[in-house]
Amino acid sequence: PTLTGDDEPRTVRVHLQGTPYTGISRQDGTFVIHDVPAGVYILEVIDSGSVWPQVEVNVAQRQAGRVLAMSPGPRKDLLPYPLLLEPTSKANYFEKREGFNLRGLLMNPMVLTMGFSVFSFLVLPQMMKNMDPEALKELQEQAAAIQNPQAASAGGGGDGKQKRVAAK
């Protein structure tokens, strides 16, 4: 059996799944697993740089050394022996970084809080200038009452005009 690939030759481990039987590839890509008892096994290549296909291997009991190799899965195609395995893809250990997303930036809670603060400082004072003078005076009195609650409770909870109107 031989392992081939586009990269420079390197040593990888070849393993029969669920068993202690392993082999190490040589520099030319060939490998041998010795003293494997008869049975059906899944051959896997353990390599940190590439992803390899798994192969179902049937070691014959009657004919010593006879091996049938099949592609695993529902469709079992016989593979030529000696096996010639090639990697299916490069191993990918990292996720690709996402690009810049303006919507994601604007939906950030910190940006939303900062936007509301800027709105409060810039737009609300302009709205106060366009407000009715009587409503503005009433709003200022309510704000003063909130800032100084003792003065509001000592005065009966309101201003002198309301007391005079109530006394008449």
Side-chain angles (χ1 to χ4, degrees):
T2 306
L3 303 172
T4 62
D6 298 335
D7 295 342
E8 59 189 52
R10 65 176 182 274
T11 303
V12 297
R13 202 170 98 199
V14 182
H15 177 72
L16 294 178
Q17 234 178 31
T19 69
Y21 301 106
T22 61
I24 296 178
S25 69
R26 298 181 185 112
Q27 287 297 317
D28 63 357
T30 60
F31 66 93
V32 176
I33 301 176
H34 296 284
D35 301 326
V36 177
V40 179
Y41 305 98
I42 300 291
L43 178 86
E44 64 181 347
V45 179
I46 300 171
D47 182 10
S48 62
S50 300
V51 177
W52 297 78
Q54 293 183 339
V55 176
E56 187 174 311
V57 178
N58 187 352
V59 178
Q61 184 174 2
R62 292 185 184 178
Q63 299 171 341
R66 180 164 163 87
V67 177
L68 288 175
M70 297 170 275
S71 58
R75 187 175 170 201
K76 302 206 181 273
D77 295 329
L78 280 177
L79 300 174
Y81 193 81
L83 291 175
L84 183 61
L85 299 177
E86 293 189 16
T88 56
S89 65
K90 291 241 184 237
N92 187 11
Y93 295 103
F94 302 101
E95 289 184 24
K96 187 177 179 184
R97 177 180 263 176
E98 290 184 23
F100 180 74
N101 183 358
L102 183 62
R103 183 175 180 266
L105 177 69
L106 293 177
M107 295 309 291
N108 183 326
M110 290 298 291
V111 173
L112 290 173
T113 304
M114 189 172 60
F116 178 74
S117 299
V118 169
F119 174 78
S120 298
F121 289 126
L122 298 178
V123 176
L124 290 179
Q126 297 300 324
M127 290 174 57
M128 297 290 281
K129 289 180 184 176
N130 296 333
M131 201 173 189
D132 181 36
E134 291 178 13
L136 181 61
K137 185 175 181 184
E138 183 178 325
L139 188 62
Q140 288 173 346
E141 288 172 0
Q142 288 176 355
I146 290 172
Q147 288 177 356
N148 194 359
Q150 290 181 351
S153 63
D159 59 354
K161 290 182 183 177
Q162 289 178 342
K163 280 188 176 180
R164 278 189 244 137
V165 172
K168 289 185 181 180

